[in-house]
Structures are given as C-alpha cells and as structure tokens.
Amino acid sequence: MTLLVDAFTILAVLAGLVFFIAGTTGLLRFPDTASRLHALTKADHLGLGLIVLGLLPRAAGIDGALRLLAIWGLVLLSSAAVGPMIARLARLRRPGE
Amino acid sequence: MIADLLLVAAMLIVALASMLARQAFTAVALFIAYGLLLTLAWVRLAAVDVAMTEAAIGAGLSGVLLLGAVRRLATQASPPPEQPPGPAMTLLIALGCAALAAALGAVVLLLPNPAPSLAAPVAANLPATDLGNPVTGVLMSFRALDTLLESAVVLLAVVCVWALTPEGGWGGVPGAAQPVQRDGPLALLARALPPLGIVIAMHILWVGADAPGGKFQAAAILAAMWLLPWMAGLVTPPPIAARWLRWTIAIGPVVFIAIGLAGAVIEGAFLAYPPGWAKPLILIIEFILTASIAVALALLVIGTPDTAQRR
C-alpha cells in the first residue's frame, strides 16, 4: 500500500515537473506576450495542481491536505487574474499584436 | 545537497544580474526574484519564520515599493548623465569593495566552531513565556526591545513619506487617484481575495505563538488586502489628517512602550512581564501591533497626497 502511495506521489510530482519545464520552455521560446503568458499560466495551474495532488497522500491530516488545496486554489485565482491583466497591458502597449 | 548548491548558484546569478541590470525595472524584477530564492534558502535552513517575512516584506512589499519608485522616476526628467569615475577612482572603489568582501568573509570564517549560540538558553527559558514558538519568544520577550524599535521604525517611515508631501497637499487623501475598475481581473481579485486574505492573516497571527507566523507576516497580508481594492479604485484611503488614522499607526508602539514601562514599575525592568502574564500581554501587543503595522505598510505603498486637493 505504501509502495502504491509512493509511486502515485512520484508519478504525479514528475508529471507536474514536466508541465513546469514545458511552461518555462514556452516562456523562453514563444514569440509573443500572449503565448508566453499562456505557457506560464498552464505551468502554474496544471504543474502545481499535479504536484499538490501528488503530495496530498503525504499531508499531515485532513487540515494539512486542505491547506495544500487552498494554496493551489489561491495560485489558480491569482494567476488567472494576473495573466489577463498583463495581456491587456501588452495589447495597450503594442496594438498590432 | 545538489539542490542547495543550485539554489545558492541561482541566488548569486540573480543578485549579480540585478546589480548589473541597465534598466531600473529589470533590476527590481530581478530583486523580487532574488527575494523569492532567498525565501527558499531560509526554508532549506528550517527558518520558516524568516522565510515568511522575507517573502512578505523582503520580496513582496519592498518589491511593490521599488516598482512604485521606478514608475515615479520614469515620469520625471532624467537626471544629467554622471561623469564616469577616472581610473584612480575606479581602482579605489574596487579596492574598497574587495576589502569589505574580504573582511566579511574573514568574520564568517573566523567564527569559533561551534559558533556562539543562545539557542540553548532560549529553549531552557521558553516555558516561562507560555509560548511554543521560540522565534516569537525571542522577538516578544527575550529581545522585545528590538521588536519595539522595529515597530517604531515603521511608524517613522510613514512620517518620513508624509513629510515629502508636495506644497498644498498636506492633510489630503494620499496616493494617486486610481482608475475605477468595475469589472475585469483586478476588480475580481479586489473583491474575491480580501475575505480570504483577512482570514489567512488572522490565522498566521494567531498560530504565531506556537508555530511559524506572527505580526509582520500577518500585517503584510492585511496591507495587501487593503491595497488591492485601492488599486482597483473601489476604496479611497482616508485623508492623512484623519485623527483615527494617525492613532491607528501610532497605537501599536504606544501600547508596547506602555506595557514596557509598566514592567519597569512592577518588575523593575523595562519590558519585563510579570510571571504568568507573559502570554496574554504578548498577545495584546501582537494584535494591536498587527493593526498598526498593516495600516502603516499600506500607507507606505500608497504614498503622499497629490497637490491637487481631493479632501
């Protein structure tokens, strides 16, 4: 059982890291602000979500698990709000894009 | 180990990049990234209290203050270009910096092994304070004078910022008028986040007695929860002439000093708590200081009143 839980944690965290690497690559390589933001917020949402999911079985009790979920929720909320804000600013600066 | 070395390398690179950046905005962005890396380093050193303060004050609040300064600098006429220092001066600067670095390194390397530490006496005397978090014990009891001076410095900083008020603006509403955002992402954050943020701040303040947390971290979150609706144009700050506003930022240090003086009268030492009263007194000071520091930090970001009267 512990082996299964460990395997789940490792797989989920590794999958989360893949999204972070992909997001970072996108941030560095994508040509314009909107696609870069897209890559960044995907990494934030899915990468962190998968890492939180992987760590859930290891959380100390139900309140530890709830705290992990709350962290994910807050990052979702803030990056979902900050992404469009930066995109709007970028469009104001360079209307052509 | 490898992760720690990577972290140290990343910190050095980001710090260097921040120093060498040609544009003020880039330098500030890198400084914020440096603060977040430093936060990770404190977590790796198991100093979670320091990590939280670094993230909230060092990276977050200082970052916002510096970004505000960059924007102000951009709107002003650029200063006349400075003469680059001559070769003799360059050599002197290089020698001075190298000597300083060597002296700092020597101090670290010459520390006796094991390094002098007060951790054991703190652990031995912590039960006298009824606190579970040794950091709070040090900050609020064993070295309470340092914390008192820190809180007074925040108050002084607000006074200094207000002292820069341009002619005709004194006593008015501080900060530039923010465009009102009825909808959009910022308005959503400004409405959705404060209820959550206030609960989290209170939680961090309350657990500070027994776990990592405390007033500065809580106050930084509370200040952010005030600044969000302000940036969305949903709330107007009170005029700086408002008596209650001035009392709010002063009451924390005042209560701290009053309790310290009471200790001098009753127990014979400034900031000494009577036996059995340590924890309740510390909680009273922490709660009132949180309110004062939160308002003061927000006012530091909001800035000075405009010349245009908006009383």
Side-chain angles (χ1 to χ4, degrees):
Chain A
M1 190 59 201
T2 35
L3 191 72
L4 211 63
V5 171
D6 282 355
F8 172 73
T9 298
I10 291 171
L11 279 180
V13 171
L14 278 180
L17 287 181
V18 168
F19 273 99
F20 268 104
I21 293 168
T24 311
T25 318
L27 175 70
L28 294 174
R29 307 287 302 172
F30 278 167
D32 58 302
T33 310
S35 358
R36 281 200 289 269
L37 278 174
H38 171 79
L40 202 59
T41 44
K42 277 294 164 297
D44 270 5
H45 295 174
L46 277 167
L48 185 68
L50 282 166
I51 290 176
V52 164
L53 193 69
L55 294 180
L56 272 185
R58 312 182 148 254
I62 191 83
D63 57 336
L66 285 177
R67 264 173 233 200
L68 278 175
L69 287 174
I71 289 171
W72 184 37
L74 284 171
V75 172
L76 274 181
L77 179 65
S78 59
S79 92
V82 169
M85 271 159 73
I86 298 178
R88 282 178 192 201
L89 273 179
R91 208 165 48 185
L92 279 179
R93 292 258 171 90
R94 271 186 242 156
E97 274 188 17
Chain B
M1 186 63 192
I2 297 173
D4 290 343
L5 285 178
L6 280 177
L7 187 59
V8 170
M11 281 171 64
L12 285 175
I13 291 169
V14 172
L16 205 63
S18 174
M19 299 292 296
L20 296 176
R22 305 295 272 179
Q23 284 185 321
F25 180 83
T26 318
V28 171
L30 287 166
F31 174 79
I32 296 173
Y34 170 76
L36 294 175
L37 289 173
L38 193 56
T39 304
L40 281 180
W42 285 120
V43 171
R44 291 292 299 158
L45 291 168
V48 183
D49 289 87
V50 189
M52 287 168 78
T53 313
E54 174 60 37
I57 310 263
L61 192 96
S62 308
V64 172
L65 282 175
L66 288 171
L67 284 177
V70 169
R71 206 193 49 196
R72 266 166 194 272
L73 283 176
T75 55
Q76 283 171 3
S78 56
E82 285 179 26
Q83 289 290 326
M89 191 52 138
T90 309
L91 189 70
L92 214 61
I93 293 172
L95 279 179
C97 291
L100 184 65
L104 283 174
V107 166
V108 172
L109 289 176
L110 290 178
L111 275 180
N113 195 17
S117 169
L118 290 172
V122 166
N125 288 300
L126 192 62
T129 62
D130 289 328
L131 297 168
N133 181 0
V135 177
T136 308
V138 170
L139 289 181
M140 296 307 296
S141 180
F142 308 133
R143 297 295 307 172
L145 187 62
D146 295 355
T147 310
L148 172 59
L149 292 176
E150 262 175 35
S151 63
V153 163
V154 177
L155 171 63
L156 270 180
V158 176
V159 172
C160 291
V161 167
W162 283 359
L164 297 172
T165 303
E167 198 69 40
W170 182 250
V173 173
Q178 304 291 318
V180 179
Q181 316 240 343
R182 286 273 160 240
D183 49 25
L186 184 57
L188 173 77
L189 267 194
R191 285 173 206 278
L193 216 48
L196 287 170
I198 291 169
V199 171
I200 292 173
M202 284 298 128
H203 171 73
I204 286 177
L205 171 62
W206 181 250
V207 300
D210 294 312
K215 61 196 161 315
F216 269 97
Q217 299 93 326
I221 298 176
L222 284 178
M225 293 308 119
W226 185 19
L227 290 172
L228 264 179
W230 169 67
M231 287 192 290
L234 300 177
V235 297
T236 313
I240 65 170
R243 208 155 274 277
W244 68 264
L245 185 73
R246 297 180 175 191
W247 267 109
T248 309
I249 55 175
I251 193 79
V254 166
V255 167
F256 209 160
I257 293 171
I259 290 179
L261 286 176
V265 172
I266 299 168
E267 288 292 306
F270 185 61
L271 283 168
Y273 306 122
W277 280 85
K279 189 163 183 186
L281 286 177
I282 287 173
L283 281 182
I284 290 172
I285 296 171
E286 287 244 299
F287 269 87
I288 297 177
L289 262 187
T290 304
S292 289
I293 297 171
V295 174
L297 292 180
L299 288 171
L300 284 181
V301 175
I302 292 172
T304 59
D306 281 346
T307 10
Q309 287 287 325
R310 290 195 291 132
R311 281 187 200 223

